[in-house]
Amino acid sequence: MKINKDRESLETEVKSLISLFAKTLDKEEVELIVTHLNGKHGIKKSNVYMLFNNSNNVSKLTQEELALFGKQLTVKLGIDNIEWMNTWFTEREIKEYERFQFVDTQSIDDLDFPITLENVTYLGNGYYNATITRQMLGRLYKYGKLNYNPNVQRGMRKVYRYGKEMEEPIVFKSKVTEMRKLILEDKLEPSTITLNAAQMSSDEGEELIYDERTHKLTINSGTILDIVDGMHRTLATYSAYSKEKDIEGSYPITISNKSDEEIQRYQVNMDKQTPLTRSKIVEYSGGHVSNVINILKSKGELKDRISSVGDSKSTLRGSDIIPYKMLHDAINNVYNIDSVLQSRKVAEEINEYLVYLFGYFGKHERDEYKVLFDADLFEAHLTLASKMKENKIPYDKLSEIIKIEAFNIENKFWKDTNVINNEGKIVNKKMRSKISDFFEGMLEEADL
């Protein structure tokens, strides 16, 4: 939970929501909540009904159940459920709750942290090497001890589920199915799975404790293990374990306790073995331009709209606007950034420009004038923003500069410059320069 929140105050909050809901109690709405929590998360219907009968029963819920029940109440009451969840829980917790599945406590086979691994070798630089059985790996995944952290993954994509846009790992089902078959036949060649104990996740202060004398590594209570490398093997192993609890075999594993930034650098080094997308390599490599993009990713119109899945427009999905590398190149081509302070200033300028761009023209993002928001035009937008700043022209004049009719998809200029009908490929440097000239021409023609 958030630092200033606790279990007791959350129970009080949910009780007040139940009381508010009871004033307009509708049996049909109750059934919808019960059906949703049971169907999506496996929470027993009786566990939900008891809450409406007596709000004091909230004390009997797990934190996951309490969060999901509270969220459903806000949905039915017309309260902003996203804001409510963000008020109480961390981003990591919210993502975990989305994939929560209720497990009857009587069926749990007592797997929980802390657990201790034996015969562990310290490799240096905070990395440990051990062996884990396939059965244990399957159990760890089943009981939510392994986490998918998009900040350290080699690729992710956006999907729509339950009316909401979410991120999920790029998984090839055929690969998982093939591995599952080999695991059940005990024919899968062992290869190293890499896990990272997320910093600040343990209930005990330290996530990992290593005893050099006994060569034992303890994973403390509350620790979240991010899957750094081995997602397909983990999913295949879990699938095999679900069918056959006594599966045989083991994996070598590497465990660390690093920050997301350190694991990103690790992924860049791993690129020599398993190629990353160029966008991922650029994203993880750091630098002043990356500092600008990190700010754009955290706030403003580009928040959650920059993709690292691939390097071309064809990889954009959902609300994505531009690939990471394409944005990086655009900023690098327009601005000369040589300090952290300057990177913050540039990010603020870009965000301010985008506020007016989307404010004036955002309604055209999906219609016949959508070319204005095409990724290939982003460098031209930055050029225009830079020129306006240089000439002390406020961004609120943007509506007098951009002539929306020029961005109709039928305009031959966009076909000639390969912006459209280009199979998602990025236009070359010559064409990008031509598009920037087009934007500068609009600035010169504007009567300001």
Side-chain angles (χ1 to χ4, degrees):
M1 296 179 71
K2 290 288 182 68
I3 294 177
N4 62 335
K5 302 295 183 181
D6 55 41
R7 167 77 189 214
E8 183 178 354
S9 57
L10 177 61
E11 288 185 8
T12 301
E13 168 77 357
V14 173
K15 285 180 183 179
S16 67
L17 291 174
I18 294 174
S19 176
L20 186 60
F21 187 87
K23 293 178 182 178
T24 56
L25 189 62
D26 185 310
K27 185 177 180 181
E28 184 176 328
E29 293 297 319
V30 172
E31 288 297 328
L32 287 174
I33 292 177
V34 171
T35 301
H36 174 84
L37 293 175
N38 177 257
K40 183 181 178 183
H41 300 287
I43 299 174
K44 286 184 176 181
K45 292 184 177 181
S46 59
N47 286 0
V48 184
Y49 283 125
M50 72 177 183
L51 302 172
F52 292 108
N53 294 329
N54 184 351
S55 64
N56 287 326
N57 284 323
V58 296
S59 62
K60 298 179 181 180
L61 300 181
T62 65
Q63 183 164 302
E64 293 90 342
E65 292 172 292
L66 192 57
L68 293 168
F69 178 65
K71 179 181 177 181
Q72 284 306 301
L73 287 175
T74 61
V75 170
K76 299 303 178 185
L77 290 168
I79 299 171
D80 189 331
N81 67 90
I82 296 176
E83 182 179 352
W84 187 82
M85 290 291 284
N86 286 331
T87 299
W88 288 93
F89 307 105
T90 64
E91 183 177 351
R92 187 183 293 274
E93 287 173 330
I94 293 172
K95 289 183 178 181
E96 288 177 352
Y97 296 162
E98 277 296 319
R99 65 187 186 96
F100 170 76
Q101 281 292 315
F102 174 81
V103 179
D104 191 334
T105 54
Q106 294 182 354
S107 68
I108 295 179
D109 51 2
D110 296 326
L111 176 66
D112 197 4
F113 292 153
I115 64 172
T116 299
L117 303 177
E118 300 189 1
N119 300 317
V120 177
T121 303
Y122 179 56
L123 302 175
N125 194 29
Y127 291 93
Y128 302 89
N129 189 64
T131 301
I132 189 172
T133 65
R134 289 172 179 164
Q135 184 183 74
M136 175 62 78
L137 186 70
R139 291 170 65 203
L140 286 172
Y141 189 84
K142 177 179 180 180
Y143 296 117
K145 303 304 177 186
L146 301 180
N147 177 60
Y148 171 74
N149 179 358
N151 290 332
V152 302
Q153 276 293 323
R154 305 174 75 77
M156 60 186 178
R157 63 183 173 191
K158 292 186 177 181
V159 297
Y160 283 93
R161 294 238 176 92
Y162 308 103
K164 182 181 178 183
E165 186 180 81
M166 297 183 293
E167 293 176 338
E168 68 173 21
I170 297 175
V171 174
F172 299 99
K173 293 183 179 179
S174 59
K175 191 173 180 180
V176 172
T177 302
E178 179 185 358
M179 286 183 174
R180 174 178 175 270
K181 182 176 181 294
L182 292 173
I183 290 170
L184 290 171
E185 296 173 352
D186 196 20
K187 294 181 179 179
L188 183 68
E189 296 291 337
S191 54
T192 302
I193 291 176
T194 306
L195 306 174
N196 182 64
Q199 293 183 351
M200 307 295 289
S201 64
S202 172
D203 298 332
E204 309 296 329
E206 293 182 274
E207 286 73 33
L208 304 178
I209 297 179
Y210 181 61
D211 189 323
E212 295 182 2
R213 183 178 59 83
T214 61
H215 300 289
K216 293 181 179 181
L217 181 70
T218 298
I219 305 173
N220 278 328
S221 175
T223 298
I224 296 172
L225 292 178
D226 289 334
I227 302 171
V228 177
D229 189 57
M231 176 61 76
H232 285 86
R233 280 163 288 166
T234 300
L235 292 176
T237 302
Y238 167 66
S239 180
Y241 172 76
S242 297
K243 183 175 182 179
E244 177 55 65
K245 295 295 186 291
D246 296 324
I247 55 173
E248 298 182 352
S250 300
Y251 295 106
I253 62 169
T254 298
I255 303 180
S256 59
N257 186 202
K258 305 283 188 176
S259 67
D260 285 0
E261 290 75 16
E262 290 174 304
I263 294 300
Q264 288 172 358
R265 288 195 291 272
Y266 170 88
Q267 292 284 38
V268 172
N269 292 332
M270 284 288 291
D271 179 51
K272 297 176 181 178
Q273 302 176 40
T274 307
L276 294 163
T277 64
R278 292 302 304 170
S279 282
K280 275 294 181 184
I281 293 174
V282 172
E283 180 178 354
Y284 289 170
S285 296
H288 295 310
V289 175
S290 292
N291 290 337
V292 174
I293 300 179
N294 286 338
I295 296 173
L296 298 179
K297 287 173 68 177
S298 65
K299 61 181 180 180
E301 299 295 340
L302 292 186
K303 182 179 180 182
D304 299 325
R305 307 186 79 177
I306 303 169
S307 172
S308 300
V309 173
D311 307 325
S312 67
K313 292 190 296 185
S314 62
T315 63
L316 299 179
R317 294 292 183 272
S319 62
D320 292 342
I321 285 184
I322 188 169
Y324 190 103
K325 183 178 183 300
M326 198 171 178
L327 175 59
H328 189 283
D329 290 344
I331 295 172
N332 195 51
N333 290 339
V334 175
Y335 297 97
N336 293 314
I337 307 172
D338 55 16
S339 69
V340 173
L341 185 61
Q342 191 177 4
S343 66
R344 291 179 180 177
K345 182 180 178 181
V346 169
E348 289 173 1
E349 290 178 7
I350 294 174
N351 265 334
E352 185 183 357
Y353 174 87
L354 292 176
V355 165
Y356 287 98
L357 176 68
F358 280 88
Y360 288 135
F361 306 106
K363 62 183 179 181
H364 298 299
E365 195 176 345
R366 296 286 184 265
D367 65 15
E368 66 269 29
Y369 304 105
K370 62 184 179 182
V371 175
L372 180 63
F373 296 95
D374 192 282
D376 277 315
L377 272 63
F378 209 87
E379 184 171 327
H381 279 296
L382 298 186
T383 299
L384 177 58
S386 178
K387 292 292 183 182
M388 290 177 70
K389 199 72 177 179
E390 180 182 326
N391 291 290
K392 298 181 180 180
I393 301 173
Y395 293 139
D396 61 10
K397 297 290 185 180
L398 198 59
S399 61
E400 300 176 38
I401 297 171
I402 291 179
K403 308 303 180 186
I404 192 61
E405 59 272 12
F407 295 89
N408 191 295
I409 56 176
E410 297 301 324
N411 186 339
K412 189 173 179 293
F413 179 78
W414 306 118
K415 295 179 182 179
D416 292 343
T417 52
N418 291 326
V419 171
I420 58 177
N421 298 335
N422 194 29
E423 299 179 349
K425 297 177 182 177
I426 299 172
V427 301
N428 61 36
K429 184 177 180 179
K430 180 180 179 181
M431 292 303 179
R432 289 200 309 273
S433 178
K434 193 172 182 179
I435 296 167
S436 292
D437 290 342
F438 179 83
F439 272 65
E440 288 189 56
M442 289 192 298
L443 177 61
E444 292 172 2
E445 293 173 6
D447 184 19
L448 301 177

